[in-house]
Amino acid sequence: MSENVVHLHKTPEPPTADATPNLTLVPEPTAAPVVPLWVRSGRAIRQVSTHERTKGAGRLAVRHTMYVAGGTRIVSRRAWDGRTASRYERMLRAAEAAGNYEVAAEWEERGRQFRAARHQRRMDLLRSPVDAAKGVAVGTGMGIGGLVALGVALAIANEDVTDVVTPLMAVIGLIKLLITIVTVVWGPLVTLGPFVALLALWGVGRHQQAAPNWALPERVRNGDGEPITPSIVVKALRDLGVPALRNAIKEMGDAGASMLGPITIAGCGVEVDVTLPSGVSTNEVQQKRRKLAENLTRHKHEVFITIPEAARTVRLWIADSGALDEPIGPSPLVTDDTATSNYKTGKAPWGQDLRGDAGLLSLYQRHVLVTGRSNQGKTAALRALALWLALDKSVQFWLADLKGIGDWKWLDGIAGVMIEGPTDDHVIQATEMVEDAVDEMNRRVEARRTDPDVVFPPLIVIVDEAQVAFMCPAIGEDKRPYGGSKATSRYFMAVRKIHNQGRAVDVLMWQGTQDPTDQNLPKLVREGAHTRASLVLGTESQSRMALGDKAVDDGAAPHELRQGLDKGTLVVASDGIDIPQGQSSITVRTHYIDDQAADAIGARAKMLRDGVTTLHVVERGEKRDPLTDIADVLGTAPRLLTQDVLKRLAALDEDAYGAWSFSDLTRVLDGTGAEPYKSDGRMAIAADRLTRALANRDGDGSASASAAK
């Protein structure tokens, strides 16, 4: 009947003689669809049942009901433990499970004493009716006799024979009054007693939170601000999903408390050692890190599990909620303008560990490797170490930044060599720089053989984005590849040589690299570093490449860090930093030093040095101006030995100046007024003379023209 029905309606008009009826079509309104009553009722019931107030009321009812049930269970358990020897049996089994047989024997003796005392009480109870009857008879006789004697004394004193029974009647009246009071009070007591008992059981259950987690109040469910207590830790371990651990905790007399060491405050969290029962391995707990954190009402990144020195023990560090998302303070290098460093005895203020202690790293005779995903703070972490070490004026730097976006510009005027750029030409120059460092290392080794007491200034060779060098496809004229990890690879072999012998003569290799693999970070290179640090990585296998198998087996997990949220957080494996006894790694939240602060610290480092000239690499094949290049390598030094000038020119451009000899240098300077001269018996070049020669030379570059001939 839902179809439109058209009816003919006659519209009234004034009557006319020849008028005809005017008929119009008017559609009949469509009727609204009728919804069945059961559908409307179902929707209403669903809306009411899913309303937040309904859910809250349901949780409230379940919660308080379970408080009573849980309180009953807890009180019953306590009563059973108080009346039986089950407590001693559980403690005995817990001690045996822990392998502590002396404590087990002690609990066995306590249980025997408890049973003996209980047997004695039961025997006394069997004899008690006879003893009680005798006591009542004697007591009643003595009581009545005493009351009669008191009455006789009163009768004599008052000269009234009726006073003999007065004390006895007073006692009878007191008993009658007590019976009356009990009769009046008994009814309400019987009525209210069950409710008082239920209230007491509810109070016990509420105190112990004996209700399902989903029914607890939101603040308790979320654990906001909830302190870590022994019961919370034991419950989290019990619910971890390890059957052997759960059963062992249930059998322990102290409900698992004996597994825990003292809970101590450690920085922005707490730390506790857990001795696992027999049959439970440490890796079973390590593999359940996420579930353990959730059981502790924490996020996964707020719980760290490490393996200390003690056998069958895990060390838990549990952060305060949200504490790891708060930034740490600025670096002491930024806040203290007078800060200095000492390569041999000092330690770099790298950041803070999770306990809030300063993360101080010794760099003395240690090769360094820092790795991690892109844009997670690798360069900033490596730069922070170099900034501190630059404040020791005896330290020399050679740098190859194979990213080349200015992160290391503060080293200009501090580093002896500075290469910046990502191309194959830059990799070739970086390789030659590392090979020059090998030559310098060999020279120092030979000098040490001649004079064992000779002291060399530390030379730090830094290659940032080293994966670019390992993956470089360029091949030299000698058919040897610059990249790769074979014995013919020039960069790989140069790094290996420095790792093998450089430490002894203070020639050290620092490398920063991304996403380690066997191709971009060969095994021999990564294992040659004394200090290995990793930011967030993608997989456990990468963590093993970055830090080594032992560190990861002992709990190091840079792959568990959060991409983007844990920038600057490093897992460090090194003997140069204080690591808790028994651990093989430590987590450090590094100080971030921005470009402006780095420039300021670099300026302070330059003030400590006297005219260091930084050699910058140029593109290969570029036309050179020898006179200008000589002036550049002299820098701010008043004069420089010709031998050193030749070395610096070769480092500046191997193709242009690598084959130069003293005669070539003399030929270029001849007639300029800046010719080499003798100073203390050795040939040198004066900077002021060279400056005048550049100022006076012809506009057509005659000096350059003469060099090009």
Side-chain angles (χ1 to χ4, degrees), residues 149-174:
L150 180 59
V152 171
L154 288 174
I156 295 173
N158 296 331
E159 297 179 354
D160 185 359
V161 70
T162 59
D163 287 343
V164 174
V165 296
T166 297
L168 186 60
M169 295 305 296
V171 173
I172 294 173
L174 177 62

PDB file of all heavy atoms in Angstrom, residues 149-174:
ATOM      1  N   ALA A 149      31.552 -16.147 104.009  1.00  0.00           N
ATOM      2  CA  ALA A 149      32.414 -15.583 105.055  1.00  0.00           C
ATOM      3  C   ALA A 149      32.308 -14.064 105.075  1.00  0.00           C
ATOM      4  O   ALA A 149      32.279 -13.435 106.150  1.00  0.00           O
ATOM      5  CB  ALA A 149      33.855 -16.017 104.813  1.00  0.00           C
ATOM      6  N   LEU A 150      32.241 -13.461 103.845  1.00  0.00           N
ATOM      7  CA  LEU A 150      32.083 -12.016 103.780  1.00  0.00           C
ATOM      8  C   LEU A 150      30.739 -11.592 104.376  1.00  0.00           C
ATOM      9  O   LEU A 150      30.636 -10.574 105.076  1.00  0.00           O
ATOM     10  CB  LEU A 150      32.188 -11.560 102.317  1.00  0.00           C
ATOM     11  CG  LEU A 150      32.052 -10.063 102.045  1.00  0.00           C
ATOM     12  CD1 LEU A 150      33.133  -9.284 102.812  1.00  0.00           C
ATOM     13  CD2 LEU A 150      32.126  -9.762 100.550  1.00  0.00           C
ATOM     14  N   GLY A 151      29.693 -12.404 104.111  1.00  0.00           N
ATOM     15  CA  GLY A 151      28.376 -12.086 104.682  1.00  0.00           C
ATOM     16  C   GLY A 151      28.356 -12.189 106.199  1.00  0.00           C
ATOM     17  O   GLY A 151      27.723 -11.367 106.880  1.00  0.00           O
ATOM     18  N   VAL A 152      29.025 -13.186 106.742  1.00  0.00           N
ATOM     19  CA  VAL A 152      29.099 -13.327 108.207  1.00  0.00           C
ATOM     20  C   VAL A 152      29.795 -12.115 108.813  1.00  0.00           C
ATOM     21  O   VAL A 152      29.366 -11.566 109.834  1.00  0.00           O
ATOM     22  CB  VAL A 152      29.835 -14.629 108.570  1.00  0.00           C
ATOM     23  CG1 VAL A 152      30.112 -14.682 110.069  1.00  0.00           C
ATOM     24  CG2 VAL A 152      29.013 -15.837 108.146  1.00  0.00           C
ATOM     25  N   ALA A 153      30.859 -11.664 108.170  1.00  0.00           N
ATOM     26  CA  ALA A 153      31.568 -10.481 108.685  1.00  0.00           C
ATOM     27  C   ALA A 153      30.652  -9.256 108.656  1.00  0.00           C
ATOM     28  O   ALA A 153      30.643  -8.436 109.577  1.00  0.00           O
ATOM     29  CB  ALA A 153      32.821 -10.241 107.849  1.00  0.00           C
ATOM     30  N   LEU A 154      29.846  -9.115 107.588  1.00  0.00           N
ATOM     31  CA  LEU A 154      28.923  -7.983 107.508  1.00  0.00           C
ATOM     32  C   LEU A 154      27.824  -8.088 108.575  1.00  0.00           C
ATOM     33  O   LEU A 154      27.421  -7.075 109.186  1.00  0.00           O
ATOM     34  CB  LEU A 154      28.271  -7.925 106.116  1.00  0.00           C
ATOM     35  CG  LEU A 154      29.187  -7.483 104.962  1.00  0.00           C
ATOM     36  CD1 LEU A 154      28.453  -7.605 103.626  1.00  0.00           C
ATOM     37  CD2 LEU A 154      29.633  -6.038 105.188  1.00  0.00           C
ATOM     38  N   ALA A 155      27.333  -9.309 108.780  1.00  0.00           N
ATOM     39  CA  ALA A 155      26.275  -9.494 109.789  1.00  0.00           C
ATOM     40  C   ALA A 155      26.774  -9.143 111.181  1.00  0.00           C
ATOM     41  O   ALA A 155      26.065  -8.520 111.981  1.00  0.00           O
ATOM     42  CB  ALA A 155      25.771 -10.936 109.749  1.00  0.00           C
ATOM     43  N   ILE A 156      27.980  -9.538 111.509  1.00  0.00           N
ATOM     44  CA  ILE A 156      28.549  -9.225 112.828  1.00  0.00           C
ATOM     45  C   ILE A 156      28.760  -7.732 112.957  1.00  0.00           C
ATOM     46  O   ILE A 156      28.470  -7.121 113.979  1.00  0.00           O
ATOM     47  CB  ILE A 156      29.870  -9.979 113.024  1.00  0.00           C
ATOM     48  CG1 ILE A 156      29.610 -11.498 113.069  1.00  0.00           C
ATOM     49  CG2 ILE A 156      30.582  -9.515 114.287  1.00  0.00           C
ATOM     50  CD1 ILE A 156      30.861 -12.332 113.096  1.00  0.00           C
ATOM     51  N   ALA A 157      29.240  -7.107 111.877  1.00  0.00           N
ATOM     52  CA  ALA A 157      29.511  -5.677 111.945  1.00  0.00           C
ATOM     53  C   ALA A 157      28.210  -4.872 112.059  1.00  0.00           C
ATOM     54  O   ALA A 157      28.143  -3.857 112.767  1.00  0.00           O
ATOM     55  CB  ALA A 157      30.296  -5.235 110.721  1.00  0.00           C
ATOM     56  N   ASN A 158      27.174  -5.328 111.324  1.00  0.00           N
ATOM     57  CA  ASN A 158      25.916  -4.565 111.322  1.00  0.00           C
ATOM     58  C   ASN A 158      24.910  -5.081 112.351  1.00  0.00           C
ATOM     59  O   ASN A 158      23.788  -4.536 112.440  1.00  0.00           O
ATOM     60  CB  ASN A 158      25.275  -4.628 109.926  1.00  0.00           C
ATOM     61  CG  ASN A 158      26.150  -3.961 108.883  1.00  0.00           C
ATOM     62  OD1 ASN A 158      26.895  -3.045 109.175  1.00  0.00           O
ATOM     63  ND2 ASN A 158      26.057  -4.447 107.631  1.00  0.00           N
ATOM     64  N   GLU A 159      25.293  -6.205 113.035  1.00  0.00           N
ATOM     65  CA  GLU A 159      24.395  -6.817 114.020  1.00  0.00           C
ATOM     66  C   GLU A 159      23.051  -7.137 113.376  1.00  0.00           C
ATOM     67  O   GLU A 159      21.971  -6.945 113.943  1.00  0.00           O
ATOM     68  CB  GLU A 159      24.182  -5.905 115.236  1.00  0.00           C
ATOM     69  CG  GLU A 159      25.460  -5.644 116.005  1.00  0.00           C
ATOM     70  CD  GLU A 159      25.217  -4.715 117.200  1.00  0.00           C
ATOM     71  OE1 GLU A 159      24.076  -4.216 117.324  1.00  0.00           O
ATOM     72  OE2 GLU A 159      26.167  -4.530 117.953  1.00  0.00           O
ATOM     73  N   ASP A 160      23.139  -7.665 112.065  1.00  0.00           N
ATOM     74  CA  ASP A 160      21.931  -8.049 111.336  1.00  0.00           C
ATOM     75  C   ASP A 160      22.225  -9.366 110.654  1.00  0.00           C
ATOM     76  O   ASP A 160      23.073  -9.461 109.774  1.00  0.00           O
ATOM     77  CB  ASP A 160      21.560  -6.973 110.323  1.00  0.00           C
ATOM     78  CG  ASP A 160      20.231  -7.273 109.620  1.00  0.00           C
ATOM     79  OD1 ASP A 160      19.637  -8.316 109.917  1.00  0.00           O
ATOM     80  OD2 ASP A 160      19.833  -6.453 108.751  1.00  0.00           O
ATOM     81  N   VAL A 161      21.495 -10.431 111.105  1.00  0.00           N
ATOM     82  CA  VAL A 161      21.776 -11.765 110.615  1.00  0.00           C
ATOM     83  C   VAL A 161      21.468 -11.910 109.131  1.00  0.00           C
ATOM     84  O   VAL A 161      22.026 -12.775 108.437  1.00  0.00           O
ATOM     85  CB  VAL A 161      20.980 -12.810 111.431  1.00  0.00           C
ATOM     86  CG1 VAL A 161      19.468 -12.710 111.113  1.00  0.00           C
ATOM     87  CG2 VAL A 161      21.480 -14.231 111.158  1.00  0.00           C
ATOM     88  N   THR A 162      20.591 -11.041 108.550  1.00  0.00           N
ATOM     89  CA  THR A 162      20.249 -11.153 107.118  1.00  0.00           C
ATOM     90  C   THR A 162      21.405 -10.754 106.207  1.00  0.00           C
ATOM     91  O   THR A 162      21.397 -11.058 105.013  1.00  0.00           O
ATOM     92  CB  THR A 162      19.026 -10.277 106.789  1.00  0.00           C
ATOM     93  OG1 THR A 162      19.330  -8.919 107.105  1.00  0.00           O
ATOM     94  CG2 THR A 162      17.805 -10.737 107.608  1.00  0.00           C
ATOM     95  N   ASP A 163      22.362 -10.058 106.754  1.00  0.00           N
ATOM     96  CA  ASP A 163      23.501  -9.650 105.920  1.00  0.00           C
ATOM     97  C   ASP A 163      24.406 -10.807 105.538  1.00  0.00           C
ATOM     98  O   ASP A 163      25.337 -10.651 104.737  1.00  0.00           O
ATOM     99  CB  ASP A 163      24.332  -8.587 106.641  1.00  0.00           C
ATOM    100  CG  ASP A 163      23.625  -7.237 106.675  1.00  0.00           C
ATOM    101  OD1 ASP A 163      22.686  -7.062 105.869  1.00  0.00           O
ATOM    102  OD2 ASP A 163      24.039  -6.369 107.466  1.00  0.00           O
ATOM    103  N   VAL A 164      24.135 -11.989 106.095  1.00  0.00           N
ATOM    104  CA  VAL A 164      24.972 -13.147 105.760  1.00  0.00           C
ATOM    105  C   VAL A 164      24.852 -13.477 104.270  1.00  0.00           C
ATOM    106  O   VAL A 164      25.828 -13.853 103.617  1.00  0.00           O
ATOM    107  CB  VAL A 164      24.565 -14.354 106.621  1.00  0.00           C
ATOM    108  CG1 VAL A 164      25.319 -15.614 106.175  1.00  0.00           C
ATOM    109  CG2 VAL A 164      24.836 -14.089 108.079  1.00  0.00           C
ATOM    110  N   VAL A 165      23.639 -13.333 103.694  1.00  0.00           N
ATOM    111  CA  VAL A 165      23.439 -13.698 102.289  1.00  0.00           C
ATOM    112  C   VAL A 165      23.546 -12.483 101.356  1.00  0.00           C
ATOM    113  O   VAL A 165      23.331 -12.605 100.140  1.00  0.00           O
ATOM    114  CB  VAL A 165      22.067 -14.382 102.108  1.00  0.00           C
ATOM    115  CG1 VAL A 165      22.030 -15.698 102.875  1.00  0.00           C
ATOM    116  CG2 VAL A 165      20.942 -13.468 102.554  1.00  0.00           C
ATOM    117  N   THR A 166      23.824 -11.299 101.912  1.00  0.00           N
ATOM    118  CA  THR A 166      23.872 -10.095 101.057  1.00  0.00           C
ATOM    119  C   THR A 166      24.922 -10.197  99.951  1.00  0.00           C
ATOM    120  O   THR A 166      24.620  -9.906  98.768  1.00  0.00           O
ATOM    121  CB  THR A 166      24.126  -8.860 101.921  1.00  0.00           C
ATOM    122  OG1 THR A 166      23.026  -8.697 102.830  1.00  0.00           O
ATOM    123  CG2 THR A 166      24.240  -7.615 101.067  1.00  0.00           C
ATOM    124  N   PRO A 167      26.188 -10.582 100.184  1.00  0.00           N
ATOM    125  CA  PRO A 167      27.158 -10.692  99.077  1.00  0.00           C
ATOM    126  C   PRO A 167      26.738 -11.704  98.025  1.00  0.00           C
ATOM    127  O   PRO A 167      26.916 -11.493  96.825  1.00  0.00           O
ATOM    128  CB  PRO A 167      28.446 -11.119  99.776  1.00  0.00           C
ATOM    129  CG  PRO A 167      28.288 -10.633 101.170  1.00  0.00           C
ATOM    130  CD  PRO A 167      26.826 -10.805 101.503  1.00  0.00           C
ATOM    131  N   LEU A 168      26.157 -12.839  98.498  1.00  0.00           N
ATOM    132  CA  LEU A 168      25.744 -13.865  97.548  1.00  0.00           C
ATOM    133  C   LEU A 168      24.622 -13.352  96.649  1.00  0.00           C
ATOM    134  O   LEU A 168      24.625 -13.570  95.430  1.00  0.00           O
ATOM    135  CB  LEU A 168      25.299 -15.117  98.306  1.00  0.00           C
ATOM    136  CG  LEU A 168      24.975 -16.351  97.460  1.00  0.00           C
ATOM    137  CD1 LEU A 168      26.201 -16.776  96.661  1.00  0.00           C
ATOM    138  CD2 LEU A 168      24.499 -17.506  98.354  1.00  0.00           C
ATOM    139  N   MET A 169      23.677 -12.600  97.239  1.00  0.00           N
ATOM    140  CA  MET A 169      22.578 -12.062  96.439  1.00  0.00           C
ATOM    141  C   MET A 169      23.084 -10.974  95.463  1.00  0.00           C
ATOM    142  O   MET A 169      22.533 -10.820  94.370  1.00  0.00           O
ATOM    143  CB  MET A 169      21.496 -11.495  97.356  1.00  0.00           C
ATOM    144  CG  MET A 169      20.822 -12.558  98.228  1.00  0.00           C
ATOM    145  SD  MET A 169      20.122 -13.921  97.264  1.00  0.00           S
ATOM    146  CE  MET A 169      18.859 -13.032  96.340  1.00  0.00           C
ATOM    147  N   ALA A 170      24.099 -10.227  95.854  1.00  0.00           N
ATOM    148  CA  ALA A 170      24.652  -9.208  94.954  1.00  0.00           C
ATOM    149  C   ALA A 170      25.270  -9.852  93.719  1.00  0.00           C
ATOM    150  O   ALA A 170      25.112  -9.364  92.589  1.00  0.00           O
ATOM    151  CB  ALA A 170      25.689  -8.377  95.693  1.00  0.00           C
ATOM    152  N   VAL A 171      25.972 -10.965  93.913  1.00  0.00           N
ATOM    153  CA  VAL A 171      26.563 -11.665  92.778  1.00  0.00           C
ATOM    154  C   VAL A 171      25.477 -12.216  91.872  1.00  0.00           C
ATOM    155  O   VAL A 171      25.558 -12.144  90.635  1.00  0.00           O
ATOM    156  CB  VAL A 171      27.495 -12.781  93.276  1.00  0.00           C
ATOM    157  CG1 VAL A 171      27.976 -13.640  92.097  1.00  0.00           C
ATOM    158  CG2 VAL A 171      28.692 -12.204  93.998  1.00  0.00           C
ATOM    159  N   ILE A 172      24.432 -12.767  92.475  1.00  0.00           N
ATOM    160  CA  ILE A 172      23.322 -13.295  91.677  1.00  0.00           C
ATOM    161  C   ILE A 172      22.658 -12.170  90.882  1.00  0.00           C
ATOM    162  O   ILE A 172      22.305 -12.328  89.706  1.00  0.00           O
ATOM    163  CB  ILE A 172      22.308 -14.003  92.593  1.00  0.00           C
ATOM    164  CG1 ILE A 172      22.949 -15.264  93.215  1.00  0.00           C
ATOM    165  CG2 ILE A 172      21.036 -14.365  91.829  1.00  0.00           C
ATOM    166  CD1 ILE A 172      22.085 -15.940  94.272  1.00  0.00           C
ATOM    167  N   GLY A 173      22.508 -11.004  91.473  1.00  0.00           N
ATOM    168  CA  GLY A 173      21.930  -9.856  90.752  1.00  0.00           C
ATOM    169  C   GLY A 173      22.813  -9.411  89.585  1.00  0.00           C
ATOM    170  O   GLY A 173      22.310  -9.024  88.517  1.00  0.00           O
ATOM    171  N   LEU A 174      24.140  -9.453  89.789  1.00  0.00           N
ATOM    172  CA  LEU A 174      25.063  -9.082  88.700  1.00  0.00           C
ATOM    173  C   LEU A 174      24.948 -10.046  87.530  1.00  0.00           C
ATOM    174  O   LEU A 174      24.924  -9.642  86.366  1.00  0.00           O
ATOM    175  CB  LEU A 174      26.501  -9.049  89.226  1.00  0.00           C
ATOM    176  CG  LEU A 174      27.595  -8.755  88.188  1.00  0.00           C
ATOM    177  CD1 LEU A 174      27.380  -7.366  87.587  1.00  0.00           C
ATOM    178  CD2 LEU A 174      28.981  -8.856  88.835  1.00  0.00           C
TER     179      LEU A 174
END
